[in-house]
């Protein structure tokens, strides 16, 4: 707006023709000549970026490829021409004090970006339908996760038959009936003959199957008709009759009438009996009870005799994960709290040379946190080897940097008044921090730490992908073995644990904000003398020790790096930026960025209607629709409680390895996350304008369109851009599970021991994530 | 005796806050500093204990040149000068007694204070000071549960912990209503009379100046435009300080 006002005052002195000509030669030059510097820069940068994008994606992804007279080119150049022409027109209009429509200035670039994003990600939505029957096995598994089981009881009866009939036919069936009494209507037969089988004495009203047993009894096959198993059902008296054909399996040994073979037919009923109990898989996931010999101290105290056993809980994968999340959070709080003061400008400005330290600290925080936990884990494996401890280190490093940044910002936002007061009493810098700063920041530090606990818990569920410990590792293993019921069970465990942590973290954060003000006239007892204090200290100690053990903390490992560690590290540091590597990286980065863009768009579009269903002020009010509110909320929470990388395997199975699978996985978590953010935006709308419209006689839909929509569009766009930022971070690792993009390239390079190329990948990730971070913050600032 | 000589403060952005300010304050005086907002009152008071570094000029207190001291020496001088702020500047989430005890930080060792260890005498002194200001029963309450006037009394108790020889008060009653203004200024008057503390207090309202101050100086655009007894501020003087459009108002 300022620009147009600006140009309207200068249009008398500047020529529209010259402006247009300048813009024709160099995009943006005319606008620069007219004094609109920001617009000029934006147009110029966009033009250069489009030339590069169209050229690069034509070569690498055949984006928009067409053939004209034997020359291959991209029709996307037409869009660039359109943009160029708009820029000339805009310069001309600007010089006359007018503005041009946003339809072109924003529309053309957005159209171009989405077309390229589509070509780069290579989506194939048809597969979602055509291969749906394949993926049903996973959906079935999700409904029937391998967690609980019952004991089974089998009832069977078998009879025998000759195959084939001899000349002359046999007079008696072969020996060898077993189990409950059953019989067939023939004593011999050939493949394809119809048999009628009858039996009695079974449990009434149950369903079973018929099996053909090979002559030596080692092989068996279930009898089918038209592809489906033949079912037998008993009546109220426990009797049954069933007819079927002799399967081809029976003739495997050749049909020699001179040497008929005795074969068996078995009716088998398997029934679940007894109560539900944890399955073996449950014990691996959650834990089991082992019986250990009584420990020495119990024996010497006379509590147990040496031959006795004591039960011990053997924690499963999910507990290792919980331990990792807790321990990483504790470590990062302890390390980040002091570090954060180096990243706080208001503190460092008081120290000589402190501002330099401030910039260094902030820079390090940002670089470290732009590299995902999983990538840290891959790097750290070269130092401390596989295991839970490496996962802990990776979680802690990423968490320290993230939380230190938040803490620093909080320190910067403290009220300077008390600092001035403490300085006036003669307090020094340290005393100032202790008495004026720390009391102010404790609540927000606690809140951020709880939030980080939630995030760490989620990251801990996937860190096992790399560090080979915890539930992430279990998931990798079960997918490799094709055990989708085990995979489903793990997802359920993760969802339950993450939802609990999510709830606790949010509840405690709310309590901190509320923080009731206790009025007391007595000096408070030191906390170690109150009952609460003692209880929490003991609880904390127990949790700490348990987490320490679960995370297999082994500080010794830090000082015994793998023998190749130094050479690996120097390999990482000597970044390979040769042209072929650079081209590979650019290619994969484009995939990552555009995959994230499409996932954000798709997730946000699908989330849009659900956001209204999950908003308290829309559906949560009347008892009739409240179930919609809670139901939608639950679906959103459930979907976002599972990390995107864990969804990848479903989509890899469904649509095949590649960026499309990764994009779909990202869009699921996007749906969960952005649905929640959107619904909060809907909840925050001002009721007044809705009321005013209702008063004019508008109906519910009209008031949504005219009172709610205008209020929520800016926050929606802002959240969507924020989500794109998050999705780019997630997309950097999605390739580790087959979702395409830069993560896959990184894993390949590390797998091929080409660490100098892997180092270049990390560098590129740091650059792109930081740029996106800055850009998204800038854009959102302007939107709100 | 406090002597301010040719004190000038130019902020990095070029604003001249104080221009060649010179005046004297004998021990035991209650000096009111008056002037419009932005006339340099706050800067002057903050320069005296060097919360703001003066650009040029000298401040001599009991024959010590404050402007020439190192940061460490300055800490020792600061603990003898109490400072009362307009916004109280309490740590709102800490208890009242912790806020009062921070006034002792200039005396206790760093390591000891970081562990929040204060001697029995210090704690008793804190309780006594609170009693003197009528707040003993609020000692273990969080500071943000107090009213504005109570918070300012806590701030005075904090200043008293320093065992100050002089108190600088920067608009101590500007955030309070008229009744509370009198109660706070009465406490300052008490300290001035009973404990013989020198008080430098910037004030907005002239009737408060008449009622409590023994001397007054007036600042306008960073320069001293009046120096003398409060009663000497006549209408002409008043217009010179506050501008032609100003009207005298009084509070209660």
């Amino acid at each position: 707006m300022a620009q147009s006002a600006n140009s309207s005052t200068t249009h008398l002195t500047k020529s529209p023709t010259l402006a247009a000509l300048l813009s024709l030669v160099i995009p943006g030059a005319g606008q620069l000549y007219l004094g609109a510097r920001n617009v000029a820069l934006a147009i110029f940068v966009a033009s250069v970026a489009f030339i590069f994008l169209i050229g690069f994606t034509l070569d690498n992804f055949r984006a928009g490829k067409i053939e004209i007279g034997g020359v291959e080119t991209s029709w996307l150049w037409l869009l660039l021409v359109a943009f160029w022409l708009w820029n000339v027109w805009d310069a001309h209009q600007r010089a006359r004090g007018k503005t041009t429509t946003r339809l072109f200035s924003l529309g053309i670039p957005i159209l171009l970006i989405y077309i390229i994003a589509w070509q780069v990600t290579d989506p194939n939505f048809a597969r979602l339908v055509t291969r749906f029957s394949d993926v049903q096995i996973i959906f079935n598994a999700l409904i029937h996760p391998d967690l609980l089981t019952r004991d089974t009881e089998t009832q069977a009866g078998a009879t025998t038959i000759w195959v084939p009939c001899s000349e002359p036919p046999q007079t008696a069936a072969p020996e060898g009936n077993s189990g409950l009494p059953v019989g067939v209507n023939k004593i011999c037969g050939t493949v394809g003959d119809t048999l009628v089988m009858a039996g009695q004495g079974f449990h009434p009203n149950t369903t079973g199957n018929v099996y053909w047993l090979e002559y030596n009894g080692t092989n068996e096959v279930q009898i089918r008709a038209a592809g489906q198993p033949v079912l037998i059902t008993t009546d109220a008296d426990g009797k049954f009759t069933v007819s079927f054909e002799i399967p081809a399996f029976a003739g495997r040994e050749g049909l020699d009438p001179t040497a008929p073979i005795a074969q068996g037919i078995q009716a088998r009923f398997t029934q679940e009996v007894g109560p539900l109990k944890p399955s073996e898989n449950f014990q691996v996931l959650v834990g089991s009870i082992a019986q250990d010999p009584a420990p020495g101290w119990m024996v010497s105290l006379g509590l147990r005799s040496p031959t006795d056993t004591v039960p011990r809980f053997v924690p499963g994968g999910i507990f290792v994960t919980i331990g990792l999340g807790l321990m990483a959070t504790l470590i990062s709080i302890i390390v980040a709290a002091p570090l954060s003061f180096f990243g706080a400008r208001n503190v460092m400005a008081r120290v000589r040379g402190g501002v330099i330290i401030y910039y260094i600290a902030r820079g390090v925080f940002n670089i470290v946190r732009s590299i995902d936990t999983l990538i840290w884990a891959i790097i750290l494996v070269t130092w401390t080897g596989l295991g839970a401890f490496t996962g802990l280190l990776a979680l802690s490093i990423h968490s320290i940097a993230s939380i230190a940044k938040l803490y620093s910002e909080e320190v910067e936002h403290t009220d300077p008044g008390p600092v001035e007061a403490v300085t006036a009493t003669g307090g020094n810098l340290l005393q100032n921090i202790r008495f004026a700063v720390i009391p102010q920041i404790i609540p927000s530090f606690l809140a951020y730490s709880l939030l980080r606990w939630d995030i760490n818990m989620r990251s801990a569920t996937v860190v096992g992908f790399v560090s080979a410990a915890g539930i992430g590792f279990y998931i990798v293993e079960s997918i490799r073995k094709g055990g989708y019921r085990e995979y489903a069970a793990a997802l359920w465990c993760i969802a339950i644990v993450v939802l609990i942590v999510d709830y606790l973290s949010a509840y405690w954060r709310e309590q901190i904000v509320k923080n009731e003000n206790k009025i007391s006239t007595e000096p408070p007892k030191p906390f170690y003398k109150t009952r609460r204090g003692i209880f929490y200290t003991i609880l904390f100690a127990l949790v700490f020790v348990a987490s320490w053990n679960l995370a297999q903390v082994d500080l010794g490992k830090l000082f015994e790096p793998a023998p190749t560690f130094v050479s690996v590290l120097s390999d990482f540091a000597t970044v390979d930026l040769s042209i072929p590597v650079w081209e590979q990286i650019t290619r994969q980065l484009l995939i990552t960025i555009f995959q994230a863009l499409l996932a954000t768009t798709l997730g946000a579009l699908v989330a849009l209607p659900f956001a209204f269903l999950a908003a308290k002020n829309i559906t949560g009010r009347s008892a009739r629709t409240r179930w919609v509110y809670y139901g939608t909320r639950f679906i959103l929470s459930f979907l976002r409680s599972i990390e995107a990388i864990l969804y990848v395997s479903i989509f890899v199975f469904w649509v095949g390895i590649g960026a499309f699978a990764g994009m779909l996985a990202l869009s699921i978590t996007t749906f969960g996350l952005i649905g929640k953010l959107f619904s909060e935006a809907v909840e925050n709308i001002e009721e007044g304008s809705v009321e005013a419209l209702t008063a004019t006689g508008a109906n519910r839909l009209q008031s949504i369109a005219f009172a709610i929509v205008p209020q929520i569009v800016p926050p929606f766009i802002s959240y969507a851009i924020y989500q794109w930022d998050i999705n780019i971070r997630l997309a950097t690792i999605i390739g580790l599970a087959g979702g395409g993009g830069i993560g896959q390239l990184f894993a390949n390079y590390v797998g091929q021991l080409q660490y100098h190329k892997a180092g270049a990948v990390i560098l590129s990730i740091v650059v792109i994530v930081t740029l996106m971070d800055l850009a998204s913050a800038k854009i959102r600032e302007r939107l709100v | 005796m406090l002597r301010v000589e040719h004190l000038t403060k130019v902020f990095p952005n070029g604003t001249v806050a104080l221009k060649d300010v010179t005046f004297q304050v004998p021990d035991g005086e209650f000096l009111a500093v008056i002037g419009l907002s932005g006339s340099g009152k706050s800067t002057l008071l903050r320069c005296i204990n060097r919360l703001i570094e003066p650009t040029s000029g000298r401040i001599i207190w009991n024959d010590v040149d404050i402007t020439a001291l190192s940061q460490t020496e300055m800490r020792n001088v600061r603990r003898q000068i109490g400072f009362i702020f307009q916004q109280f500047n309490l740590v709102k989430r800490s208890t009242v007694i912790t806020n009062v005890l921070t006034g002792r930080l200039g005396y206790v060792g760093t390591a000891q204070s970081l562990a929040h260890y204060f001697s029995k005498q210090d704690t008793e002194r804190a309780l006594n000071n609170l009693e003197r200001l009528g707040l003993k029963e609020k000692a273990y309450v969080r500071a943000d549960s107090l009213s504005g006037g109570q918070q300012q009394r806590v701030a005075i108790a904090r200043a008293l912990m320093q065992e100050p020889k002089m108190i600088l008060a920067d608009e101590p009653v500007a955030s309070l209503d008229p009744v509370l203004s009198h109660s706070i200024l009465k406490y300052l008057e008490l300290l001035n009379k009973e404990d013989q503390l020198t008080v430098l207090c910037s004030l907005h309202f002239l009737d408060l100046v008449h009622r409590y101050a023994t001397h007054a100086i007036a600042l306008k655009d960073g320069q001293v435009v009046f120096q003398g007894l409060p009663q000497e501020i006549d209408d002409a003087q008043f217009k010179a300080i506050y501008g032609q459009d100003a009207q005298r108002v009084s509070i209660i």
Side-chain angles (χ1 to χ4, degrees), chain A residues 42-56 80 112 116:
Chain A
I43 292 177
F44 182 74
V45 170
S47 307
V48 173
F50 289 154
I51 292 172
F52 164 76
L53 260 183
I54 297 173
F56 190 86
L80 181 73
L112 185 67
I116 290 179

Side-chain angles (χ1 to χ4, degrees), chain A residues 143 179 246 274 344 604 767 769:
Chain A
I143 300 166
I246 299 177
V767 171
V769 169

Side-chain angles (χ1 to χ4, degrees), chain A residues 583-638:
Chain A
E583 251 188 28
Q584 271 298 317
I585 290 177
T586 314
R587 196 187 141 90
Q588 299 302 328
L589 271 184
L590 283 181
I591 293 181
T592 300
I593 294 169
F594 287 127
Q595 173 185 49
L597 175 69
L598 284 192
T600 312
T601 314
L602 183 66
L605 285 179
V606 179
L608 209 56
F610 287 89
F612 289 92
L613 296 182
K616 201 167 202 156
N617 50 350
I618 306 264
T619 52
R621 282 206 182 128
S622 81
R624 222 155 24 91
T625 54
R626 201 165 291 146
W627 63 272
V628 177
Y629 168 71
Y630 286 112
T632 324
R633 287 245 128 172
F634 177 76
I635 292 171
L636 293 174
S637 316
F638 183 87

Side-chain angles (χ1 to χ4, degrees), chain A residues 510-633:
Chain A
E510 203 176 301
Q511 291 300 307
I512 290 170
V513 176
K514 270 202 240 156
N515 203 326
E516 78 306 357
N517 200 349
K518 284 192 220 89
I519 303 289
S520 107
T521 49
E522 290 289 305
K525 279 186 185 173
F527 87 102
Y528 51 85
K529 281 190 185 163
T530 62
R531 213 176 274 173
R532 254 173 94 109
I534 293 170
F535 172 74
Y536 281 115
T537 310
I538 291 175
L539 184 71
F540 178 82
L542 287 177
V543 168
F544 184 84
V545 170
S547 309
W548 182 277
N549 285 328
L550 286 167
Q552 295 161 31
V553 176
D554 182 1
L555 297 177
K557 271 192 181 174
L558 288 177
F559 305 103
E560 301 159 4
T564 52
F565 176 62
V566 175
S567 65
V568 168
L569 200 66
S570 62
D571 251 12
F572 259 120
T574 47
V575 174
D576 182 351
L577 278 180
S578 55
I579 297 292
V581 176
W582 189 83
E583 251 188 28
Q584 271 298 317
I585 290 177
T586 314
R587 196 187 141 90
Q588 299 302 328
L589 271 184
L590 283 181
I591 293 181
T592 300
I593 294 169
F594 287 127
Q595 173 185 49
L597 175 69
L598 284 192
T600 312
T601 314
L602 183 66
L605 285 179
V606 179
L608 209 56
F610 287 89
F612 289 92
L613 296 182
K616 201 167 202 156
N617 50 350
I618 306 264
T619 52
R621 282 206 182 128
S622 81
R624 222 155 24 91
T625 54
R626 201 165 291 146
W627 63 272
V628 177
Y629 168 71
Y630 286 112
T632 324
R633 287 245 128 172

Side-chain angles (χ1 to χ4, degrees), chain B residues 117-125:
Chain B
Y117 177 82
F118 292 95
S119 67
K120 265 219 165 67
Q121 290 96 309
D122 281 349
T123 313
E124 253 164 47
R125 200 184 315 225

Side-chain angles (χ1 to χ4, degrees), chain A residues 129-362:
Chain A
V129 181
T130 56
R131 296 176 61 160
F132 185 72
S133 55
D134 291 348
V135 85
Q136 269 179 332
I137 176 178
I138 295 185
F139 288 128
N140 275 331
L142 279 173
I143 300 166
H144 305 286
D146 183 1
L147 285 173
L148 298 174
T149 182
R150 284 181 209 268
D151 283 330
T152 55
E153 184 197 73
T154 303
Q155 280 188 316
T159 183
T160 49
I161 188 170
W162 296 105
V163 178
C165 290
S166 60
E167 285 297 334
Q170 294 88 341
T171 52
E175 297 285 309
N177 279 17
S178 64
L180 293 167
V182 291
V184 284
N185 61 342
K186 291 182 178 168
I187 51 173
C188 70
T190 41
V191 173
D193 285 359
T194 301
L195 294 179
V196 178
M197 188 183 199
Q200 58 184 338
F202 294 88
H203 287 302
N205 303 322
T206 53
T207 305
N209 295 106
V210 194
Y211 293 85
W212 196 274
L213 310 179
E214 214 178 30
Y215 62 99
N216 58 11
T218 49
N219 288 318
E220 63 172 47
V221 67
Q222 196 177 40
I223 290 180
R224 289 162 174 269
Q228 296 298 316
V230 171
L231 297 179
I232 44 181
T233 310
T234 55
D235 61 14
D237 300 328
K239 293 181 180 173
F240 73 87
T241 320
V242 66
S243 69
F244 51 87
E245 290 177 357
I246 299 177
F249 175 76
R252 276 201 316 155
E253 300 297 318
L255 298 171
D256 181 1
T258 61
I261 299 165
Q263 304 202 16
I265 310 164
Q266 189 184 44
R268 197 187 297 162
F269 294 82
T270 303
Q271 262 190 316
E272 292 188 327
V273 290
L276 280 174
K277 61 172 194 177
S279 69
E280 222 171 280
N281 186 52
F282 180 90
Q283 300 187 347
V284 177
L285 269 178
V286 180
S288 53
I289 306 290
Q291 295 292 335
D292 279 3
W297 63 270
M298 277 191 170
V299 177
S300 50
L301 283 175
L303 293 169
R304 294 281 188 284
S305 81
T307 51
D308 280 350
T309 57
V310 285
R312 180 173 62 91
F313 180 70
V314 184
I318 194 75
F319 277 97
V320 175
T321 304
I322 293 173
L324 281 175
L326 271 171
M327 202 65 208
T329 311
L330 282 176
I331 292 176
S332 50
I333 294 169
I334 293 166
V335 179
L339 280 184
S340 63
F341 288 92
F342 293 107
R345 199 182 182 123
N346 55 348
V347 173
M348 294 322 282
R350 294 167 60 100
V351 186
R352 199 182 297 266
V355 178
I356 299 168
I357 299 175
Y358 158 79
Y359 280 115
I360 294 174
R362 278 301 183 92

